[in-house]
Amino acid sequence: MGIVAAFAVPHPPLIIPAVGQGRQSGIQKTIDAYEEVGRRIAKLAPQTIVVSTPHSVMYRDYNHISPGTHASGSFAQFGAPQARYEATYDQEFTGLLTQTCEHEGLAAGTDYERDAMLDHATMIPLHFIQKYYRDFRLVRIGLSGLSPADHYRLGMAVQKVANQLDRRVVYVASGDLSHKLTSSGPYGYAPDGPKFDQEICRIFTTGDFLGLLTMDHGFADRAAECGLRSFQIMAGALDGVPVKCVLLSHEGPFGVGYGVAAFTPTGPGPDDSRRFLQKYQEWHHQRMEQLKAHEDPLVGLARDALETYVRTHRRLQVPQGLPQELYTRRAGCFVSLKENGELRGCIGTIAPTQDSLAQEICNNAVSAGCHDPRFMPVHADELDELVYSVDVLGEPEPIQSQHELDPRRYGVIVSTPDGRRGLLLPDLDGIDTPAEQVRIAARKGGIDPDEDDVQLQRFQVVRHH
């Protein structure tokens, strides 16, 4: 036994009749495909169904697995409290999965639960599954900011536990595709939105799960997706398994992509060509080496400064041989760090505070890695995984309204006469409008953008990678 099938499914709340109130007819293809998923699962008669969801408890560095004996939830937040769902958890599976993760060095388990209620991305699959089949226990897994490899390895742990317990297990990966397919949709349009959906549909049709792991994080962010990590865990649950792949439906009439796909094991023996973890690790290693080999001198200086401080607890002395302007110019700058595509630290100065731009970069690199209050200090074992960027700021200029902003060209500073101030850099993935820029910058400064006497400034940067 083990994993007998896997399904990728979306979670539009309006697909629930009590929520949709007739609007669900606009995604009839998705409904029909979901009904087929329910019927297929009933035929398979699994003892355990594992659901991964983007809307359960989510941490940057930990995949949460729901503890306890059972859970319930409703669609009250969507105006339909009468639409209620319940599930009994598979405690034995969850317990062994947690032990397996600990043994495998995976940051996953049942700790730190904040909300035990079932989320809508879990209840929507349950709606269609329970219509046809109820004799199963549930395992619910949340996503995290950890790497594609960690999500894939978590899926491998699911497969391992399914085999150890000799259970018939179905894996359900809940996740919507791009939320930016049309300008009339609730999240607007981004050119990468349709491209993201097209690529996911290709992967779901061909079974090329390596594409789920190597997908550019910025591309996924610009598409505003929520299912990629869920699909990565699913891919791991099918590690080494020969599968038949069927894209049952895809549509996006409301501006959000809904894809339904089925993956059915086709043979008793393993397929080593479908072991994607090592392939991903080799690809990732080559990519990181290429990034470091082609780093801008400013970025290389930031990397040296942080690595020196983390490894020796000493500040880097500015080396010789850098571009001359780094010794002679003074300017504010921001150093940003990313790990696994997620922000890991960002600290900067609006105006120069050091005698040279080189010293400014070194100071801000250490601050970004060790003193950003949003994150724990960077550990030595993280250094090889960090991707750096350095933004050198131009002189801020006052503007009268957000209509003078362009999120791709200008950063924004929102300030008040009492000294509160928030800044947002330009050309950030997922920030598409001046209103979003101002709102986020204001929040960072503890400012209500509708307050009287709010002042706006814009600035340009030269970004170094």
Side-chain angles (χ1 to χ4, degrees), residues 23 31 61 88 92 100 119 131 219 241 273-274 279 288 304 328 349 374 381 399 412 435 443 446 452:
R23 290 175 296 164
I31 294 172
D61 56 357
T88 300
E92 184 180 16
T100 301
D119 62 283
K131 182 175 179 179
F219 171 58
V241 177
S273 71
R274 297 194 60 74
K279 296 178 182 179
M288 294 302 294
D304 289 345
T328 58
T349 44
R374 297 168 293 180
D381 59 3
I399 57 174
V412 64
R443 185 178 65 208
D452 293 334

Side-chain angles (χ1 to χ4, degrees), residues 242-291:
V243 292
K244 177 183 178 182
C245 308
V246 180
L247 179 64
L248 296 172
S249 72
H250 172 262
E251 58 184 340
F254 304 124
V256 179
Y258 305 133
V260 182
F263 307 93
T264 308
T266 58
D271 181 350
D272 289 338
S273 71
R274 297 194 60 74
R275 299 195 187 280
F276 295 105
L277 181 60
Q278 183 176 351
K279 296 178 182 179
Y280 168 75
Q281 290 171 331
E282 292 171 354
W283 173 89
H284 178 68
H285 176 75
Q286 292 175 2
R287 176 175 174 271
M288 294 302 294
E289 290 299 309
Q290 289 173 356
L291 282 174

Side-chain angles (χ1 to χ4, degrees), residues 53-203:
T53 165
H55 296 290
S56 179
V57 181
M58 184 172 180
Y59 296 99
R60 188 189 71 82
D61 56 357
Y62 187 81
N63 284 95
H64 184 264
I65 305 168
S66 297
T69 59
H70 68 281
S72 62
S74 79
F75 283 84
Q77 69 179 110
F78 300 101
Q82 72 275 24
R84 296 189 56 83
Y85 297 86
E86 296 184 355
T88 300
Y89 284 138
D90 190 331
Q91 287 184 288
E92 184 180 16
F93 196 105
T94 295
L96 185 54
L97 179 58
T98 300
Q99 293 174 20
T100 301
C101 289
E102 182 177 359
H103 182 265
E104 299 287 341
L106 287 167
T110 55
D111 294 336
Y112 317 118
E113 181 163 61
R114 296 197 305 262
D115 184 0
M117 299 291 288
L118 292 176
D119 62 283
H120 74 276
T122 300
M123 290 188 290
I124 290 169
L126 287 179
H127 171 83
F128 290 95
I129 294 168
Q130 291 178 342
K131 182 175 179 179
Y132 296 95
Y133 182 69
R134 289 181 172 270
D135 191 18
F136 67 92
R137 293 180 184 270
L138 182 71
V139 176
R140 182 172 65 148
I141 301 174
L143 310 183
S144 75
L146 293 170
S147 69
D150 285 330
H151 284 84
Y152 190 91
R153 289 174 62 216
L154 178 54
M156 292 173 66
V158 169
Q159 183 192 104
K160 184 175 183 179
V161 172
N163 291 334
Q164 286 180 339
L165 294 177
D166 198 26
R167 295 271 175 85
R168 295 180 62 81
V169 177
V170 164
Y171 193 97
V172 176
S174 182
D176 292 338
L177 306 188
S178 172
H179 288 63
K180 293 194 172 185
L181 296 184
T182 63
S183 57
S184 60
Y187 305 96
Y189 173 79
D192 285 329
K195 293 177 184 177
F196 177 87
D197 277 31
Q198 183 179 20
E199 176 62 7
I200 291 295
C201 288
R202 182 195 70 81
I203 292 168

Side-chain angles (χ1 to χ4, degrees), residues 299 302 333-338 343-348 364-365 368-369 374 386-391 425 428 463-464:
V299 173
C333 73
F334 274 72
V335 176
S336 301
L337 314 174
K338 287 190 175 182
L343 186 67
R344 184 61 179 88
C346 179
I347 293 289
N364 291 345
R374 297 168 293 180
L386 295 180
V387 176
Y388 295 66
S389 64
V390 176
D391 289 298
L425 295 170
L428 298 178
R463 179 161 295 164
H464 301 263

Side-chain angles (χ1 to χ4, degrees), residues 296-358:
D296 181 283
L298 281 70
V299 173
L301 178 62
R303 181 184 293 278
D304 289 345
L306 180 57
E307 291 186 354
T308 298
Y309 186 82
V310 171
R311 290 187 170 125
T312 70
H313 305 291
R314 295 178 182 176
R315 297 272 178 172
L316 176 73
Q317 296 298 312
V318 175
Q320 299 299 312
L322 297 171
Q324 189 61 29
E325 71 159 346
L326 291 177
Y327 304 110
T328 58
R329 180 183 177 189
R330 299 180 72 233
C333 73
F334 274 72
V335 176
S336 301
L337 314 174
K338 287 190 175 182
E339 184 178 13
N340 304 317
E342 297 284 342
L343 186 67
R344 184 61 179 88
C346 179
I347 293 289
T349 44
I350 297 174
T353 63
Q354 304 297 316
D355 291 337
S356 69
L357 180 54

